[in-house]
Amino acid sequence: MPMYNNQTWGHIYGPIFIYMAECPEYDCGKVDTKALIWFKVYEAGLINGTWRTGYWAMKGLTIGGTLDYTIPKDMKLGRYLVRHELIAIHTQWRQIYPECADRGHWRW
């Protein structure tokens, strides 16, 4: 099970997805994110139980804050963008929270 710590998140029902995409020519600063090829490196949904009474991946954020996941070991050297998607499903309409990150010193 993922580990979380020290921050809060107000939604407890919903999955978490994490994607990565390689930046062309080691430049993530001006890349068109719609043109990248994204691949999934993590997903978690209903951990156990039922829809209303179960433990969802996003619940961990309400009791902690950070999510640990493993970057694939077979990735080639380069610079990558990371996109986290949290999808809250506790209302009639799903609420999607996407976020991208680029850290210049991340190299594989």
Side-chain angles (χ1 to χ4, degrees):
M1 187 178 312
M3 297 179 61
Y4 304 89
N5 66 29
N6 296 329
Q7 294 182 4
T8 60
W9 176 251
H11 308 291
I12 64 170
Y13 300 104
I16 298 172
F17 301 96
I18 300 176
Y19 300 89
M20 295 181 75
E22 184 178 12
C23 298
E25 301 177 18
Y26 296 99
D27 183 11
C28 293
K30 298 177 182 166
V31 69
D32 176 5
T33 58
K34 293 178 183 154
L36 295 176
I37 299 171
W38 293 93
F39 56 94
K40 190 185 316 179
V41 296
Y42 178 85
E43 68 177 272
L46 183 60
I47 306 296
N48 61 46
T50 64
W51 186 92
R52 290 202 181 269
T53 62
Y55 187 93
W56 286 86
M58 283 197 356
K59 184 172 183 177
L61 296 177
T62 67
I63 61 172
T66 62
L67 171 66
D68 295 330
Y69 61 95
T70 302
I71 295 170
K73 293 179 182 175
D74 59 350
M75 288 175 48
K76 70 179 186 174
L77 292 174
R79 292 189 58 187
Y80 293 80
L81 286 177
V82 178
R83 185 179 82 220
H84 304 87
E85 289 185 4
L86 309 173
I87 304 175
I89 59 171
H90 62 285
T91 63
Q92 181 179 359
W93 306 103
R94 69 178 185 244
Q95 300 172 31
I96 302 173
Y97 299 93
E99 184 69 37
C100 284
D102 166 31
R103 296 296 304 249
H105 62 274
W106 289 356
R107 291 177 182 255
W108 292 275

